[in-house]
């Protein structure tokens, strides 16, 4: 070792020069910084210097290689990590006015909360310093989305501290956080304090001090790594201690997509406001379900446009950011006729197996078998489950129509999934659910008590399914009320900053707390070019103050349809006949155009947020289009004349019949509804008897399929409908007899005898 003052060589490990008595600099074992002799911690990164040897420093003052410390230390590597610092704001004044024991208990709850939130997102708590916490992602094990998980954890932590303050009667209590991503020295053998060190740690700590209470600030590197999934606002440049130049910082606003930007909206997405408590409840119930390994049902009830689907979307984004694995399933109930039996459940199974809508029978069966092989370990269970799942999704017909037998197989499949990771099942549009699906969900809640199965039901209040949670052993009901005026103000400001206040006030009054009304109004203004984006704000381009906002949503959507080009409007009307979702080839057939010709118009409707593209790789409908709101589809359909509706229903039914036999069998209820609607629209037409006959034939097939799935109630209704359409007394009697058999299976002996 060379003394920097006299140049004499000194043996390694000495603290003072043997020739001139000058103190020798201490080299930090983590970052290599040369510290003054006698200091206990590195002045650059804060690492303990206990046992560290002084550095070799040349006469010119430049650093040379660091001498290995005399005491053994674990291996140190440079790693790309994300560091989070958070602390409490208002805690000092709070502690002065409260009993010390009460303060200690509050701090204990805060520390538990911090550790829980950090670990949920795959981070590691490095240390607690007073009321501050330091956590790290990327060490000891790195993941590709570490930065994003750190920001998600920071946002969740800040929100959770606010809730804690409300619970303990201290509304002034809040947290602030800072996150920075970059290279740091990582002690691979350390656990907890001392694991990560370097300038990155100091800078992250100082970023946190710049944040206002209740906010999260991040550095530029963190923003770049996470902006696909997190929305940010510029927070200006800040001069931080020890930094020669001011650093640009950014405020994390909210998570807007799944991990890595999955399913991110390409354009307008209103901020999530007014439902924070409901979302928090869904999260808490989910974690209770997984920790206690007990099935649970959460039912979200509200009128159309109130925000049920948005709540489910926010929950998905939260789930997608957690470190722990889970199985996510989404299925929707259809509004065709009496509904397609078990369609939502079948959609979940197809999605889990990766079976696409147009897939042939053999490839689909191969995927289903591979799925069962992967998640059902017992060979006997696989032989029981596979044919019954195939029957559910229309790939197998030779199954005994015993409802309990089918239910047991379907339940067993989802239980085996839950054995490996929590299984989430989100049922949308439950107001259209068939009674047998409701019965299966009740059965699942009753018999799968010891499994982490988390069921979410989205339903309108006037539906029979609205009482599902009340009848469940483990049920939680959430009813969504209209948003408050303050929440609507936040929604509009976040959606279109700079909206003129008189117009914003009129939109709020007309919306009456229904977020969809406000969002649709803004979309209409954008579609008409009356609002344009200039920088971070939206500015009017026309006479918006004289624009009359429609009184009802139907008028609003109708006015929006009128603002489209003639071709776009026609395409929207054609699509409305197909249903809420549709394949582009079906739409091309219906409107008599080639698919390439349709693409620009479909893209325009997606850009105007009339349609969306299903891009979720876990969905069997990937690549299909769908209406963002079913109400838009309903209004577009009702603008068609009866003659047009009839012709288009017949065209759709014909298209569906041209599919493969297995595909046609699976959607036989849909074909029946199209033929039936075509006949009802003009029962006196020249070909009415022929159409009526096709409707009757499809209804019989639909009834037999429902009977084969042990859905006796649906089968009874379809047989009754078919009997009403029959012109033959003999056929009518046979169909009535079949209906009576279904009634008998349901235990309705009086109805069975009356047939």
């Amino acid at each position: 070792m060379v003394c920097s003052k006299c140049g004499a060589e000194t043996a390694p490990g000495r603290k003072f020069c043997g020739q001139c008595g000058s103190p020798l600099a201490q080299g930090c074992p983590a970052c290599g910084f040369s510290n003054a002799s006698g200091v206990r911690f590195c002045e650059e990164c804060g690492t303990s210097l206990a046992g560290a040897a002084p550095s070799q420093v040349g006469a010119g003052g430049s650093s040379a290689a660091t001498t290995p410390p005399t005491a053994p230390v674990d291996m140190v590597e440079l790693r790309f990590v994300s560091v989070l610092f958070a602390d409490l704001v208002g805690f000092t004044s709070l502690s002065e006015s409260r009993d010390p024991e009460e303060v200690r208990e509050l701090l204990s709850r805060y520390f538990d909360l911090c550790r829980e939130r950090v670990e949920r997102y795959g981070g590691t708590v490095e240390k607690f310093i007073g009321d501050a916490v330091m956590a790290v992602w990327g060490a000891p094990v790195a993941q590709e989305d570490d930065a994003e998980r750190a920001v998600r954890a920071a946002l969740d932590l800040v929100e959770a501290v606010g809730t804690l303050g409300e619970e303990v009667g201290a509304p002034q209590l809040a947290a602030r956080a800072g996150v920075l991503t970059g290279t740091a020295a990582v002690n691979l053998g350390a656990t907890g304090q001392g694991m990560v060190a370097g300038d990155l740690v100091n800078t992250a700590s100082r970023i946190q001090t710049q944040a206002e209470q209740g906010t999260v600030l991040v550095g530029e590197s963190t923003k770049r790594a996470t902006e696909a999934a997190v929305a940010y606002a510029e927070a200006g440049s800040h001069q931080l201690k020890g930094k020669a130049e001011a650093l640009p910082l950014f405020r994390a606003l909210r998570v807007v997509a799944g991990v890595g930007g999955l399913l991110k909206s390409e354009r307008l997405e209103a901020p999530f406001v007014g439902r924070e408590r409901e979302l928090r409840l869904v999260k808490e119930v989910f974690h209770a379900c997984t920790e206690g390994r007990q099935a649970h049902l959460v039912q979200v009830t509200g009128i159309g446009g109130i925000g049920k689907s948005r709540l489910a979307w926010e929950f998905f984004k939260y789930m997608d950011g957690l470190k722990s694995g889970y199985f996510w399933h989404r299925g929707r109930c259809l509004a065709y006729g009496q509904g397609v039996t078990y369609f939502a459940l079948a959609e979940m199974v197809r999605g889990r197996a990766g079976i696409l809508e147009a897939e042939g029978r053999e490839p689909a069966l191969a995927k289903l078998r591979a799925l069962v092989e992967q998640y059902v370990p017992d060979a006997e269970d696989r032989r029981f489950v596979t044919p019954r799942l195939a029957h559910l999704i229309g790939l197998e017909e030779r199954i005994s129509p015993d409802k309990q037998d089918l239910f047991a197989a379907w339940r067993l499949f989802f239980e085996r999934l839950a054995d490996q990771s929590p299984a989430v099942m989100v049922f949308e549009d439950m107001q259209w659910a068939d009674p047998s699906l409701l019965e299966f969900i009740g059965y699942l809640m009753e018999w799968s008590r010891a499994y982490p199965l988390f069921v979410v039901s989205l339903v309108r209040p006037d539906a029979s399914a609205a009482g599902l949670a009340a009848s469940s052993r483990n049920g939680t009901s959430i009813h969504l009320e209209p948003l408050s005026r303050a929440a609507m103000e936040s929604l509009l400001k976040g959606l279109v900053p700079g909206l003129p206040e008189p117009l914003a006030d009129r939109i709020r009054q007309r919306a009456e707390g229904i977020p969809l009304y406000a969002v649709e109004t803004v979309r209409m203004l954008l579609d008409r070019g009356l609002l344009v984006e200039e920088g971070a704000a939206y500015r009017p381009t026309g006479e918006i103050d004289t624009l009359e906002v429609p009184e009802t949503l139907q008028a609003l959507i109708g006015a929006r349809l009128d603002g489209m080009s003639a071709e776009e409007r026609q395409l929207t009307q054609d699509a409305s006949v197909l249903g809420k979702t549709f394949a582009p080839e079906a739409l091309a057939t219906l409107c008599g155009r080639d698919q390439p010709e349709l693409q620009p118009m479909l893209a325009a409707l997606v850009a105007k947020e009339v349609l969306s593209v299903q891009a979720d790789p876990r969905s069997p409908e990937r690549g299909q289009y769908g209406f963002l709101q079913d109400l838009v589809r309903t209004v577009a359909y009702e603008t068609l004349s009866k003659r047009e509706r009839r012709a288009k229903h017949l065209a759709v039914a014909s298209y569906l019949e041209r599919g493969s036999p297995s595909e046609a069998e699976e959607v036989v209820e849909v074909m029946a509804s199209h033929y039936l609607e075509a006949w009802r629209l003009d029962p006196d037409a020249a070909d009415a008897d022929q159409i009526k006959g096709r409707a009757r034939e499809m209804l019989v097939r639909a009834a037999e399929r429902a009977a084969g799935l042990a859905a006796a109630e649906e089968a009874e209704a379809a047989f009754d409908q078919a009997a009403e359409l029959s012109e033959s007394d003999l056929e009518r009697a046979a169909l009535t007899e079949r209906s009576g058999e279904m009634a008998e299976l349901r235990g309705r002996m009086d109805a069975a005898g009356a047939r």
Side-chain angles (χ1 to χ4, degrees):
M1 180 175 294
V2 179
C3 175
S4 61
K5 186 170 183 179
C6 70
E9 291 190 3
T10 306
R14 300 294 185 263
K15 296 182 178 180
F16 296 90
C17 175
Q19 296 297 320
C20 68
S22 299
L24 299 173
Q26 298 185 79
C28 175
C31 69
F33 183 77
S34 297
N35 295 276
S37 179
V39 298
R40 298 171 58 196
F41 295 91
C42 176
E43 296 171 311
E44 177 64 22
C45 70
T47 298
S48 173
L49 298 178
S55 300
Q56 291 182 338
V57 181
S62 60
S63 260
T66 303
T67 303
T70 54
V73 295
D74 294 308
M75 184 172 65
V76 174
E77 283 187 1
L78 292 179
R79 288 281 190 102
F80 193 73
V81 299
S82 292
V83 175
L84 176 153
F85 271 91
D87 73 350
L88 292 176
V89 180
F91 179 70
T92 302
S93 58
L94 177 67
S95 60
E96 291 174 350
S97 60
R98 299 208 174 196
D99 181 78
E101 188 65 22
E102 188 179 354
V103 173
R104 187 196 63 80
E105 183 180 346
L106 175 59
L107 266 181
S108 178
R109 289 184 62 182
Y110 165 69
F111 292 150
D112 289 343
L113 182 152
C114 289
R115 190 175 298 279
E116 177 187 74
R117 290 308 192 275
V118 167
E119 291 178 352
R120 276 185 187 176
Y121 290 92
T124 302
V125 173
E126 222 250 16
K127 58 187 172 183
F128 290 103
I129 313 163
D131 61 7
V133 59
M134 173 188 167
V136 61
W137 281 256
V141 179
Q143 303 291 336
E144 61 184 23
D145 53 3
D146 284 324
E148 184 180 321
R149 294 187 191 278
V151 177
R152 286 173 177 263
L155 288 168
D156 198 353
L157 176 59
V158 165
E159 180 186 357
V161 169
T163 303
L164 176 62
E166 294 176 3
E167 291 175 356
V168 299
Q172 75 275 22
L173 188 66
R176 58 182 179 180
V179 181
L180 188 61
T181 302
T183 303
V186 177
N187 187 339
L188 298 181
T191 56
Q193 190 162 344
M195 181 173 63
V196 181
D199 179 62
L200 181 79
V201 176
N202 294 332
T203 306
S205 174
R206 288 161 187 164
I207 288 175
Q208 169 249 307
T209 64
Q210 302 298 306
E212 297 178 0
Q213 68 176 44
T215 67
V216 176
L217 289 184
V218 307
E220 196 167 12
S221 57
T222 304
K223 175 183 177 290
R224 286 196 303 267
T226 62
E227 58 189 350
V230 181
Y232 289 98
E234 293 185 4
S237 294
H238 295 254
Q239 189 66 56
L240 303 182
K241 182 180 179 182
K243 294 294 177 183
E245 297 182 359
L247 293 183
L249 299 180
F250 303 85
R251 179 182 174 188
L253 300 177
R254 59 185 179 276
V255 177
V256 295
V259 169
L262 178 67
L263 300 180
K264 182 178 181 179
S265 173
E266 292 300 320
R267 273 192 66 204
L268 211 58
E269 180 178 276
F272 183 68
V273 297
R275 309 288 188 212
E276 293 83 3
R277 290 182 179 178
E278 290 84 353
L279 178 59
R280 188 162 59 245
L281 176 58
V282 175
K283 293 177 185 177
E284 290 172 353
V285 173
F286 167 76
H287 288 294
C289 166
T290 58
E291 292 164 9
R293 294 189 63 82
Q294 286 191 333
H296 205 103
L297 168 71
V298 171
Q299 181 156 292
V300 183
T301 307
I303 63 174
I306 199 72
K308 301 184 294 296
S309 296
R310 180 59 186 274
L311 183 63
W313 166 231
E314 294 298 322
F315 179 57
F316 168 77
K317 290 188 292 185
Y318 168 75
M319 290 290 298
D320 208 42
L322 299 180
K323 71 162 185 178
S324 55
Y326 65 94
F327 294 110
W328 180 273
H329 307 89
R330 181 188 65 87
R332 74 194 188 289
C333 303
L334 301 181
Y336 303 123
Q338 294 299 313
V340 179
T341 308
Y342 302 122
F343 184 87
L345 186 65
E347 190 177 25
M348 292 180 181
V349 174
R350 285 193 294 267
R352 175 57 49 202
I355 298 173
L356 305 179
E357 286 286 335
E359 196 132 27
R361 181 176 182 274
E362 290 308 316
L365 274 174
K367 288 184 176 180
L368 182 64
R369 293 188 187 108
L371 172 72
V372 177
E373 182 79 25
Q374 180 179 1
Y375 294 112
V376 182
D378 184 77
E380 186 174 345
D381 286 347
R382 289 198 296 269
R383 286 192 293 272
F384 176 63
V385 167
T386 303
R388 289 159 180 81
L389 286 180
H391 188 45
L392 172 66
I393 61 178
L395 299 177
E396 179 64 64
E397 298 178 6
R398 297 182 298 276
I399 294 294
S400 172
D402 183 284
K403 181 176 287 189
Q404 294 304 310
D405 180 75
L406 293 172
F407 279 12
W410 303 342
R411 171 177 64 86
L412 180 61
F413 171 70
F414 284 102
E415 286 178 351
R416 292 298 170 265
L417 288 179
D419 274 336
Q420 300 187 35
S421 290
V424 182
M425 305 169 73
V426 179
F427 292 90
E428 297 184 13
D429 294 328
M430 283 290 282
Q431 63 272 11
W432 308 120
D434 50 275
S436 293
L437 177 62
L438 300 181
E439 186 178 348
F440 173 73
I441 295 174
Y443 169 90
L444 193 67
M445 291 296 101
E446 178 68 26
W447 292 100
S448 299
R449 303 178 196 171
Y451 296 88
L453 286 167
F454 189 65
V455 177
V456 180
S457 167
L458 311 181
V459 65
R460 294 180 187 172
D462 54 350
S464 59
L468 193 59
S471 61
S472 173
R473 289 182 61 88
N474 292 318
T476 299
S477 293
I478 298 176
H479 187 85
L480 300 185
E481 298 288 351
L483 294 178
S484 66
R485 177 182 174 85
M488 290 296 288
E489 288 177 353
S490 298
L491 183 146
L492 286 173
K493 287 178 181 177
L495 188 65
V496 278
L499 193 68
E501 183 53 35
L503 178 63
D505 188 56
R506 280 166 43 212
I507 292 174
R508 285 194 299 268
Q509 290 179 17
R510 297 301 198 279
E512 296 183 328
I514 310 300
L516 174 64
Y517 291 14
V519 172
E520 287 298 308
T521 300
V522 170
R523 285 175 176 162
M524 181 185 68
L525 295 174
L526 291 169
D527 288 349
R528 293 184 175 182
L530 295 174
L531 281 179
V532 294
E533 189 174 7
E534 294 181 359
Y538 286 80
R539 303 297 180 199
T541 62
E543 296 296 325
I544 294 184
D545 352 345
T546 62
L547 176 69
E548 286 298 323
V549 180
E551 295 287 347
T552 66
L553 183 60
Q554 183 170 358
L556 173 61
I557 296 173
R560 188 175 173 205
L561 293 173
D562 288 338
M564 299 178 182
S565 69
E567 286 187 328
E568 289 173 351
R569 180 183 172 87
Q570 184 64 57
L571 196 65
T572 304
Q573 291 171 323
D574 288 342
S576 71
V577 180
L578 291 167
K580 189 172 182 179
T581 60
F582 54 91
E585 56 265 29
L587 182 59
T589 301
L590 182 57
C591 63
R593 295 173 181 261
D594 294 329
Q595 284 193 57
E597 187 182 355
L598 290 183
Q599 289 306 315
M601 287 186 286
L602 287 171
L605 291 174
V606 170
K608 291 184 175 182
E609 299 189 24
V610 175
L611 303 178
S612 64
V613 181
Q614 178 56 265
D616 185 353
R618 291 164 287 196
S619 170
E621 294 185 328
R622 187 179 184 186
Q624 290 202 338
Y625 290 86
F627 285 87
L628 277 173
Q629 296 291 338
D630 191 58
L631 290 172
V632 175
R633 184 201 66 81
T634 301
V635 173
Y637 176 81
E638 291 175 352
T639 60
L640 290 167
S641 68
K642 288 186 177 181
R643 179 180 298 179
E644 287 178 297
R645 289 187 214 172
R646 182 178 185 273
K648 293 180 188 300
H649 278 297
L650 291 175
V652 174
S654 176
Y655 164 78
L656 293 173
E657 281 199 86
R658 291 196 297 271
S660 68
S662 63
E663 290 172 6
E665 192 62 30
E666 187 178 350
V667 295
V668 65
E669 292 102 326
V670 180
M671 289 189 287
S673 70
H674 282 294
Y675 276 121
L676 189 59
E677 190 60 26
W679 174 72
R680 286 173 174 168
L681 284 166
D682 193 357
D684 299 320
D687 59 349
D689 288 343
Q690 180 183 351
I691 296 171
K692 184 180 180 182
R694 294 297 290 154
R696 182 175 64 253
E697 178 186 341
M698 296 299 169
L699 282 168
V700 173
R701 286 172 57 185
E704 295 293 358
R705 171 172 164 76
L709 286 166
E713 185 172 346
E714 291 78 11
E716 180 186 351
F719 278 128
D720 284 342
Q721 277 189 298
E724 290 174 7
L725 298 179
S726 179
E727 300 291 342
S728 163
D729 291 341
L730 187 61
E731 182 186 54
R732 189 182 304 111
L735 293 172
T736 302
E737 183 179 1
R738 289 289 284 133
S739 174
E741 292 172 0
M742 295 300 104
E744 186 175 359
L745 285 175
R746 297 174 56 208
R748 298 178 63 243
M749 302 306 296
D750 55 334
R755 308 287 166 90

